[in-house]
């Protein structure tokens, strides 16, 4: 198991937060009670704008922002031998 550089706890997995750029298109209209109501028409999202943050599950610190860095961390730590 690896150690989080922030809190020093042993970490064998990371929490991933994915932030998507997304636009929802809604229709706004007055309903039978004369109040505004909404209908969702469509949702558009862009995969190329997805941001990933790899987070320590113990302390919540953001450790990495790319899959490659996270993979290297998990792999290198798995190969570590105790002294
Ligand atoms: Zn931590």
């Amino acid at each position: 198991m690896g150690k989080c550089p922030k809190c020093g706890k042993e970490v064998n997995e990371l929490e991933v937060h994915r932030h998507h750029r997304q636009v929802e298109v809604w229709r706004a209209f007055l309903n039978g009670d004369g109040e505004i109501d909404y209908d969702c028409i469509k949702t558009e999202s862009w995969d190329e704008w997805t941001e990933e943050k790899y987070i320590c599950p113990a302390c919540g610190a953001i450790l990495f922002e790319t899959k490659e860095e996270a993979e290297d961390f998990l792999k290198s730590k798995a190969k570590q031998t105790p002294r």
Side-chain angles (χ1 to χ4, degrees):
M1 273 192 279
K3 278 192 179 161
C4 170
K6 300 280 182 188
C7 68
K9 289 217 172 117
E10 291 188 331
V11 172
N12 60 4
E13 61 181 40
L14 297 164
E15 192 176 303
V16 186
H17 291 197
R18 289 198 169 131
H19 301 258
H20 300 279
R21 301 285 171 91
Q22 185 170 296
V23 172
E24 293 176 356
V25 181
W26 292 73
R27 188 169 68 93
F29 58 97
L30 292 180
N31 64 20
D33 298 327
E35 290 173 345
I36 197 159
D37 218 336
Y38 299 90
D39 265 345
C40 188
I41 296 167
K42 62 177 174 177
T43 304
E44 286 186 50
S45 59
W46 293 268
D47 285 345
E48 65 269 27
W49 285 352
T50 299
E51 287 179 3
E52 286 184 330
K53 301 207 186 295
Y54 291 83
I55 289 163
C56 169
C59 70
I62 297 168
L63 302 181
F64 309 107
E65 296 192 2
T66 66
K67 180 190 161 197
E68 286 73 22
E69 287 175 303
E71 201 170 5
D72 285 350
F73 173 78
L74 292 172
K75 278 184 187 167
S76 67
K77 298 303 178 186
K79 280 188 233 155
Q80 253 183 4
T81 48
R83 295 190 180 173

